[in-house]
Amino acid sequence: MHRYDDSAVRAAPHEAEVPDGEDQAQRAAEVAALQRVADAGEAAAAWVRELAGRQCEEDHGRALERVAEASGREIIPGSDGLLTEELRYTLAANVVLGASHTTGTLPELHDGERLALVAVCALAAALPSCALGDLARELNLLAGEPAAATDAGRTVTAAGDARVLPVRKPRPLGHEHGDPLNRLAYRRVAESAAESFEIALNYQGGRGEEACAEALHTALAAAGPGIAAAALLRVADDPALGLDPDQWEHLHRIAAELNLRVVEDLGGSNGDGTTALTQPRPA
C-alpha cells in the first residue's frame, strides 16, 4: 500500500470537532495500524512488479502492473469499506490468467507463485472492509498476513529462478573435492576418525577382525556428525531450494550443534585451508 496520509483522517466528517483524549488515542492507533498495512502493501506491490518485469508478453506485464498498483491502495477510515468494480476485477483470483484473453497464453509464473499472488490479491481486496468495524484492531490482526504471503511468494520466486540455472555438481567432503575450506573440513573429520580408530583398536588389544570392526564403528561415530554437518550446510546454501532466512539459519544452527568446528572450517573461521591443522581434535 502507499504511505498513509493522515490528512484524509483529519478531513473526515467525524473529525470536525476537536477529539477528546480517547478519540485521539483511537486515531493514533488507526494511523499506526494503517502504516503497518501500508508497509506490507508496498512490499507486496514491489514483488508483483518483479513478476511483471519478467513477462515477455507486454500485455501480461501491464496486467500485473495494475495488480501491483491495486494492492497498494490506501485504506481510509470513514470510507464505505467497499472496493470499486474495477479494483474488485483487478484483484480477483483470475489475476493468474493475466491477459490470456488477448494473448492466448498464461503469464510466466513459477509453480507456487500463482497461489501466493492470489493470496496477496485476496488480502488486498479484504482489508478495506476493516473500515466498517474496529479498524485498528482488525488491521493489527491482519497486518502480518500480506507480508507472509509476499514472503512466501518471494521464496517461491527465488527457488524457481534457481531451478533454471545450470545444475551444480554436489561437493562432498574430501581431500580431492572442492576448495581449500572443503579440504580443511575434511582433514578435520578424517584426522578425528583416524585418532578414534587407533584409540579404539588399542583398547581392543589386538588387530583381529573383531577388533578392527569395533574400531571402525568408533571411527564412523566420530566422523558422522562432521559429515552430516557439512551436508546440511550444502543443503542450506543450495539456491534451488529458495530457503528463507529463518530456514537457512535453522539448518546452520543444527549443523553447528552437530559439529561446530566443521562449520567454522567451511565458513573460514579457522583459516583459509592452506595450512595443516595444528593438531587433530575429536569431531
Side-chain angles (χ1 to χ4, degrees), residues 66-242:
R66 288 194 295 271
V67 173
E69 181 182 356
S71 65
R73 295 293 174 87
E74 295 176 359
I75 303 172
I76 303 300
S79 72
D80 58 11
L82 301 176
L83 293 176
T84 65
E85 183 177 355
E86 180 183 0
L87 282 177
R88 284 200 306 273
Y89 178 79
T90 300
L91 296 173
N94 64 0
V95 61
V96 298
L97 300 177
S100 58
H101 59 288
T102 59
T103 66
T105 62
L106 292 175
E108 297 177 26
L109 297 172
H110 298 313
D111 291 341
E113 283 181 333
R114 292 179 179 84
L115 181 60
L117 183 59
V118 169
V120 165
C121 291
L123 288 163
L127 285 170
S129 64
C130 294
L132 302 177
D134 187 342
L135 182 68
R137 176 180 176 276
E138 293 178 12
L139 286 186
N140 279 320
L141 289 174
L142 294 175
E145 301 309 318
T150 303
D151 288 344
R154 287 194 176 279
T155 297
V156 173
T157 296
D161 290 343
R163 281 194 293 269
V164 301
L165 298 175
V167 177
R168 299 188 310 180
K169 184 178 180 180
R171 293 185 301 154
L173 284 178
H175 65 278
E176 76 282 9
H177 295 292
D179 55 34
L181 295 180
N182 189 66
R183 292 192 292 270
L184 176 63
Y186 171 77
R187 291 202 305 271
R188 174 86 60 190
V189 172
E191 290 178 13
S192 175
E195 182 183 35
S196 298
F197 181 87
E198 292 295 338
I199 291 173
L201 194 62
N202 182 63
Y203 281 143
Q204 295 299 316
R207 291 186 175 274
E209 182 178 339
E210 184 175 346
C212 287
E214 187 61 33
L216 178 59
H217 289 312
T218 303
L220 290 174
I227 295 173
L232 282 175
L233 293 187
R234 297 291 186 243
V235 170
D237 295 338
D238 186 348
L241 294 179

